[in-house]
Amino acid sequence: MRIGMGYDVHRLTEGRKLILGGVDIPYEKGLLGHSDADVLIHAVMDALLGAAGLDDIGKHFPDTDERYRGISSIRLLEYVRELLKAQGLAVGNIDATVIAQRPKMRPYIDQMRKNMADALEIPVENINVKATTEEGLGFTGEGLGIAAQAICLIS
Ligand code: MG
């Protein structure tokens, strides 16, 4: 068994969609980034790549590469699944936390889990998503950005 962790932050800005766990969440702002800036999936991918000893998403999907402009991070997660598969590695479970002051994540959590489980071809029970605020403190608390953390086991 191997363990991995991932962490990511993206800035909230007007004129962008808010995509988290592959769910398009209605909100006045969205996350800025080269891809769809799905901070949750980015943290999950970094956890998986870390566990596999395969560097990080910055290496596999550089933000200077036009192929990844605006790409759905679900597609990138599928690519990571294939990288792990090629190494004979299977995903055990994943636990992740989205850190955001707003919007409320609860209504979207189950769909996020399903989207990521489908992309990874694992049972939805093996992927957990939580959400928390930071009580108005710091950049997430001030609504300037959203952070995500993830941890996983692979074997
Ligand atoms: Mg990112």
Side-chain angles (χ1 to χ4, degrees), residues 4-145:
M5 61 86 70
Y7 175 71
D8 196 23
V9 171
H10 282 263
R11 180 184 294 273
L12 277 165
T13 185
E14 282 169 11
R16 291 269 303 182
K17 286 183 169 188
L18 178 58
I19 312 286
L20 290 170
V23 181
D24 187 343
I25 298 175
Y27 189 54
E28 66 210 39
K29 292 181 176 178
L31 293 171
L32 187 62
H34 184 66
S35 65
D36 64 357
D38 189 326
V39 69
L40 171 58
I41 292 183
H42 292 187
V44 166
M45 290 191 291
D46 262 350
L48 293 168
L49 291 169
L54 291 172
D55 288 289
D56 61 20
I57 57 172
K59 177 176 174 197
H60 292 280
F61 314 114
D63 64 9
T64 49
D65 192 329
E66 283 302 312
R67 282 180 299 169
Y68 304 124
R69 181 177 295 282
I71 196 172
S72 165
S73 294
I74 289 282
R75 299 285 90 76
L76 304 180
L77 186 58
E78 290 167 350
Y79 182 82
V80 169
R81 175 197 73 213
E82 292 304 310
L83 284 176
L84 265 59
K85 212 184 266 182
Q87 303 283 321
L89 295 166
V91 179
N93 77 299
I94 297 168
D95 187 26
T97 303
V98 177
I99 304 158
Q101 193 65 34
R102 289 192 303 135
K104 283 273 173 258
M105 300 295 163
R106 177 46 53 196
Y108 310 106
I109 296 272
D110 285 345
Q111 190 63 50
M112 293 177 194
R113 292 173 64 201
K114 183 178 188 312
N115 291 347
M116 292 190 284
D118 287 352
L120 289 168
E121 299 175 344
I122 61 172
V124 74
E125 295 76 25
N126 292 10
I127 180 156
N128 193 71
V129 176
K130 309 181 298 299
T132 187
T133 74
E134 290 187 302
E135 303 286 340
L137 298 168
F139 70 85
T140 71
E142 292 173 18
L144 300 176

